[in-house]
């Protein structure tokens, strides 16, 4: 039996589906997906056959299953199920050249991959954080490419980073995607996120949240209510402002204003 906590299609570029589930006894037969499958285990362990080779998935690492490569899956622990969170990403998320490499080595070790995937799921929990989720998916692409390919882009593009920052500043109160920004700036999405983070030391979505929190802080000090500050700072609603305000400044808008 499986207790599915939630399965949905978020409005985030390159994310086809998100699944949070717990399996008590179920074992997957051999099957394939037309998407890249990013598996994060929260409890238990899973043994699986990928392209006729045995592998083990645990909470200590991210598992990356390539599209159209057969795999199965079952609990690796007797009388114990497993709990998982899964991202299904567009087949074009990684180049075709990465499929064979991922089939040979599907485990992404290291805290960077774990942290990135955890942050993506946290952002996907709130539609207002779709921009953060999109940036996370692009950051995960860079991590995966660095493990699966032998070459890497090293060119610096600070002017491009500055153009994106100007766009983020000009459209601070709007909702738009990195995909839209990349199309307007004539750059690849993941390259755009990478050069911005490298140039300014902060990811684009964190830059936007910081600017919006700063704007809300000034509005609160000018006598605006938390609801007004949220609406005039680009946040989805007061709850969205409160969560990021507390995370950034260590207190709520209401307490800060008082």
């Amino acid at each position: 039996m499986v207790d599915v906590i939630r399965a949905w299609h978020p409005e985030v570029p390159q994310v086809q589906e998100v699944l949070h589930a717990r399996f008590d006894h179920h074992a997957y037969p051999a099957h394939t997906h037309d998407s890249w499958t990013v598996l994060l285990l929260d409890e238990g362990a899973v043994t699986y056959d990928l392209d006729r080779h045995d592998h083990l998935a645990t909470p200590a690492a991210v598992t990356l299953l390539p599209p159209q490569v057969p795999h199965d899956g079952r609990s690796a622990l007797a009388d114990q199920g497993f709990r998982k969170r899964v991202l299904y990403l567009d087949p074009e998320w990684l180049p075709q050249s990465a499929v064979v490499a991922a089939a040979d080595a599907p485990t992404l070790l290291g805290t960077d991959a774990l942290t990135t995937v955890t942050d993506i799921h946290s952002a996907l929990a709130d539609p207002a954080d779709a921009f953060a989720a999109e940036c996370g998916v692009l950051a995960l692409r860079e991590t995966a490419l660095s493990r699966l390919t032998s070459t890497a882009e090293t060119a610096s593009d600070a002017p491009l980073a500055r153009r994106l920052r100007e766009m983020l500043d000009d459209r601070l109160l709007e909702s738009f995607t990195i995909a839209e920004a990349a199309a307007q700036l004539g750059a690849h999405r993941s390259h755009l996120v990478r050069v911005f983070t490298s140039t300014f030391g902060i990811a684009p979505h964190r830059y936007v949240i910081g600017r919006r929190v700063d704007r809300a802080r000034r509005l609160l000090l000018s006598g605006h209510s938390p609801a007004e500050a949220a609406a005039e700072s680009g946040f989805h609603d007061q709850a969205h402002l409160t969560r990021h305000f507390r995370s950034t400044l260590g207190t709520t808008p209401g307490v800060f204003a008082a």
Side-chain angles (χ1 to χ4, degrees):
M1 298 176 62
V2 57
D3 180 15
V4 177
I5 301 173
R6 190 181 180 198
W8 74 102
H9 170 64
E11 294 299 323
V12 175
Q14 297 188 291
V15 181
Q16 293 184 347
E17 183 185 341
V18 183
L19 172 68
H20 293 184
R22 177 179 177 84
F23 286 85
D24 293 323
H25 306 290
H26 178 69
Y28 283 106
H31 63 287
T32 65
H33 297 288
D34 63 358
S35 58
W36 285 92
T37 303
V38 181
L39 169 65
L40 180 66
L41 281 180
D42 294 306
E43 293 179 6
V46 171
T47 181
Y48 63 97
D49 180 284
L50 177 66
D51 197 25
R52 294 167 292 184
H53 292 85
D54 291 330
H55 298 277
L56 180 68
T58 73
V62 172
T63 299
L64 183 62
L65 304 177
Q68 304 301 343
V69 179
H71 60 278
D72 58 14
R74 68 202 64 81
S75 176
L77 305 174
D79 300 321
Q80 181 176 332
F82 57 90
R83 186 163 58 90
K84 67 176 184 176
R85 288 178 284 174
V86 185
L87 302 171
Y88 297 99
L89 306 178
D90 286 348
E92 297 80 15
W93 176 64
L94 290 178
Q96 184 63 31
S97 59
V99 170
V100 173
D104 290 338
T107 303
L108 298 180
L109 297 170
T111 57
D112 52 346
L114 276 172
T115 299
T116 299
V117 175
T118 299
D119 288 347
I120 292 170
H121 281 286
S122 296
L124 288 169
D126 189 340
D129 285 330
F131 188 67
E134 183 189 13
C135 288
V137 169
L138 293 170
L140 181 62
R141 179 183 188 273
E142 293 302 304
T143 298
L145 281 176
S146 71
R147 311 288 177 83
L148 300 176
T149 61
S150 59
T151 59
E153 299 178 31
T154 58
S156 174
D157 199 344
L160 177 62
R162 288 193 291 271
R163 290 169 63 197
L164 176 57
R165 184 173 66 176
E166 291 172 358
M167 180 182 295
L168 296 178
D169 289 340
D170 290 342
R171 302 179 64 178
L172 186 63
L173 305 185
E174 301 177 30
S175 295
F176 64 98
T177 66
I178 285 291
E180 294 171 336
Q184 184 171 335
L185 296 175
H188 191 281
R189 291 172 288 189
S190 60
H191 178 66
L192 191 59
V193 171
R194 181 172 66 253
V195 298
F196 186 95
T197 304
S198 175
T199 300
F200 299 115
I202 188 172
H205 70 279
R206 295 194 182 278
Y207 175 80
V208 169
I209 289 297
R211 288 292 316 280
R212 288 176 175 175
V213 167
D214 191 54
R215 178 181 175 89
R217 178 183 58 80
R218 293 196 301 269
L219 290 170
L220 290 168
L221 291 177
S222 298
H224 290 72
S225 70
E228 292 170 338
E232 296 182 30
S233 300
F235 287 99
H236 183 71
D237 53 26
Q238 185 175 336
H240 190 216
L241 165 64
T242 297
R243 178 156 54 84
H244 287 293
F245 199 94
R246 182 190 290 116
S247 175
T248 302
L249 299 179
T251 188
T252 65
V255 171
F256 182 85

